[in-house]
Amino acid sequence: MTRKTLPEKGREWPELEAMMADMAKADVNWRAGRVPLYVFHAKDSVADINKRAFMTYFTENALGAGRAFHSVKRMEDDILDFALNLFHAPETAAGSMTTGGSESIFLAMKACRDWTRANRPGVTKPNVVASYSVHLAFEKAAHVMDIEMRRTPQADDFRADPKAMEAAIDDQTMMIVGSAPSFPQGVIDPIAELGELAQRHNNLWLHVDACVGGYFAPFARMAGYDIPDFDFAVPGVTSMSADLHKFGYTAKPASTVFYRDADKHQHQYFDFDNWPSGRMVTYGVTGTRPAGGVAAAWAVMHHLGVEGYVETARQVLELAREYREGISAIQGLRVYGKPHLSIVNYGSDTIDNGAIADAMTARDWLIGRTKEPMGMHLMLSNLHEQSKEAYLTDLAAAVEEVRGRNAPASSTEVAYA
Ligand SMILES: *Cc1c(COP(=O)(O)O)cnc(C)c1O
């Protein structure tokens, strides 16, 4: 391995830009819709406004929003207000902006742990009960905070199984979790039932992970799609995470976390004074944080408005339907479960899924893979309109290529990131 040294002489932008363009040749072409996750697109004007707003606040630091950059604080407050209304939150509710779903989830778990310490002294070894499909950010947060995760098998329709979850609850359970929707199969867990479960167990803390659906499902419902209750409209819901940088179509990094009671939100804060530079009160994991993410979210939410989000939801849901139908029309393939939004998990019961995925990889697609059940995965937005025909054509060809072949099981690792 040759370790690189910092260049002796500096270079100007044109040369750097050319170097980057050269390096980017190694990337999968997301602009052409060949990446099934990580990137999201509503329409060109949204992309443009994201960039302009982000660059307008490129230098400001959201850590200083309270003391120096009052406009950043104001934009954050606007965004949180919009979301609280969208999620049917009562007057008592409060929340924060964060850098992503993982941070939102970490903070909800931290707030729950600290609230539990203060209010349920008998809980000394806290655990969290969730479905097997829950996002692995919960496992990461649990690992960092030394909390036990108890994940129960999914029901046959891939949703969380409230009965199995109930059986896993004991007197050390601090939180139960539902997803709206889950990442693996894109189904919204039975949040109303989980709410009843939480209430039956002494108002146990129920967190809803709406990182994917938070800024999508409400507009899908307004567009006339059947979306079960998943937010604070369900009485037992205590807290929620919702990512702006997914189907809010805003620049990274931007997510939000909310609590039914401001009192519980307070347990999210870290307040410390014992060092030479004085007190620091932060509500997040990060210190310095890009104000660009806040400004871009604020601008995009104003640009799209309810009408724009509803229109986009309609387009993406229509596109998802076309993908599901196109996939189901290929003999041997089927869609797993009944996804509520634009995640599609599909595969074959008779043909080697890993080999199909390999054949798609050979056709220049970054193919999402799943292992339970074995299959393929898409999280669709308007980026994938242009690539739909090519994807379905290549998929049909890939299936034909593999069908009947006694292919050795693919050795490619199933990976999320
Ligand atoms: C993406 C995702 C997260 C984590 O969000 P990041 O912004 O990637 O940290 C959490 N939950 C679900 C369901 C997700 O899809």
Side-chain angles (χ1 to χ4, degrees):
M1 194 191 79
T2 51
R3 184 181 285 164
K4 301 207 173 109
T5 43
L6 178 67
E8 210 50 53
K9 290 196 184 337
R11 299 171 205 231
E12 297 308 319
W13 175 243
E15 194 185 344
L16 297 170
E17 189 180 26
M19 288 165 76
M20 285 184 189
D22 196 49
M23 288 189 287
K25 286 179 189 155
D27 295 352
V28 182
N29 191 351
W30 62 267
R31 287 180 186 80
R34 288 184 173 261
V35 175
L37 74 172
Y38 306 139
V39 285
F40 302 83
H41 181 73
K43 56 182 175 180
D44 290 347
S45 63
V46 170
D48 184 51
I49 283 170
N50 257 324
K51 289 176 198 166
R52 286 175 194 270
F54 196 103
M55 295 316 286
T56 302
Y57 276 86
F58 177 78
T59 307
E60 285 80 355
N61 184 343
L63 175 62
R67 298 179 65 221
F69 311 117
H70 304 295
S71 58
V72 176
K73 172 83 169 73
R74 199 177 140 182
M75 289 190 280
E76 281 194 343
D77 288 345
D78 284 354
I79 292 164
L80 296 171
D81 277 355
F82 296 166
L84 287 165
N85 283 331
L86 202 60
F87 301 149
H88 305 99
E91 280 293 311
T92 53
S96 308
M97 264 198 90
T98 72
T99 55
S102 299
E103 189 185 8
S104 292
I105 288 164
F106 183 95
L107 292 173
M109 280 180 64
K110 187 256 186 221
C112 177
R113 184 199 62 179
D114 289 3
W115 179 88
T116 303
R117 275 181 184 162
N119 293 278
R120 296 177 58 197
V123 180
T124 53
K125 286 174 64 95
N127 68 66
V128 171
V129 173
S131 173
Y132 183 60
S133 59
V134 82
H135 193 272
L136 18 72
F138 288 89
E139 289 282 351
K140 189 196 274 185
H143 177 75
V144 172
M145 289 186 278
D146 207 10
I147 291 163
E148 182 195 347
M149 281 302 291
R150 295 184 176 174
R151 290 187 301 147
T152 57
Q154 295 161 262
D156 289 343
D157 61 5
F158 298 107
R159 299 190 304 159
D161 178 353
K163 282 207 179 60
M165 286 176 63
E166 180 156 30
I169 293 172
D170 64 14
D171 63 353
Q172 298 296 301
T173 302
M174 69 166 204
M175 174 189 272
I176 63 173
V177 185
S179 303
S182 68
F183 179 82
Q185 281 86 31
V187 288
I188 298 179
D189 287 337
I191 304 298
E193 280 177 68
L194 294 179
E196 285 166 22
L197 174 59
Q199 289 186 308
R200 259 202 322 280
H201 287 262
N202 218 0
N203 291 321
L204 199 50
W205 187 306
L206 167 60
H207 180 85
V208 173
D209 181 19
C211 278
V212 170
Y215 296 96
F216 190 168
F219 304 111
R221 182 183 286 152
M222 290 178 210
Y225 289 81
D226 191 19
I227 302 291
D229 283 345
F230 70 94
D231 59 17
F232 293 113
V234 176
V237 173
T238 313
S239 57
M240 280 181 67
S241 42
D243 285 353
L244 283 159
H245 63 204
K246 284 179 183 151
F247 293 98
Y249 301 105
T250 79
K252 301 163 189 74
S255 174
T256 49
V257 58
F258 300 98
Y259 304 82
R260 183 180 292 278
D261 308 306
D263 153 52
K264 295 197 167 83
H265 182 226
Q266 286 302 311
H267 287 280
Q268 189 189 297
Y269 282 74
F270 181 70
D271 183 347
F272 197 78
D273 196 18
N274 186 18
W275 82 317
S277 287
R279 186 176 177 199
M280 179 168 91
V281 184
T282 46
Y283 64 75
V285 176
T286 59
T288 290
R289 186 161 58 89
V294 177
W298 186 89
V300 166
M301 290 175 106
H302 280 87
H303 172 60
L304 280 172
V306 172
E307 281 179 16
Y309 277 112
V310 171
E311 187 193 351
T312 309
R314 201 176 272 126
Q315 290 164 352
V316 176
L317 289 166
E318 186 60 18
L319 183 67
R321 186 182 60 75
E322 290 165 7
Y323 267 89
R324 289 197 307 267
E325 286 177 5
I327 289 164
S328 306
I330 297 172
Q331 202 203 338
L333 294 186
R334 66 183 179 91
V335 172
Y336 299 144
K338 285 201 164 61
H340 287 97
L341 298 169
S342 70
I343 285 173
V344 188
N345 180 201
Y346 67 92
S348 178
D349 303 323
T350 51
I351 307 165
D352 180 358
N353 288 288
I356 299 172
D358 288 349
M360 285 296 276
T361 306
R363 287 168 170 79
D364 273 342
W365 299 94
L366 176 71
I367 189 90
R369 295 172 192 251
T370 57
K371 54 181 185 145
E372 289 168 76
M374 282 291 283
M376 275 86 36
H377 192 273
L378 291 158
M379 181 155 59
L380 300 163
S381 73
N382 280 341
L383 269 179
H384 304 101
E385 167 73 48
Q386 54 181 324
S387 51
K388 182 188 67 189
E389 291 303 328
Y391 186 91
L392 293 172
T393 305
D394 280 358
L395 184 59
V399 168
E400 277 323 305
E401 188 181 306
V402 177
R403 194 196 303 279
R405 186 217 294 174
N406 218 345
S410 167
S411 57
T412 310
E413 192 195 6
V414 176
Y416 170 78

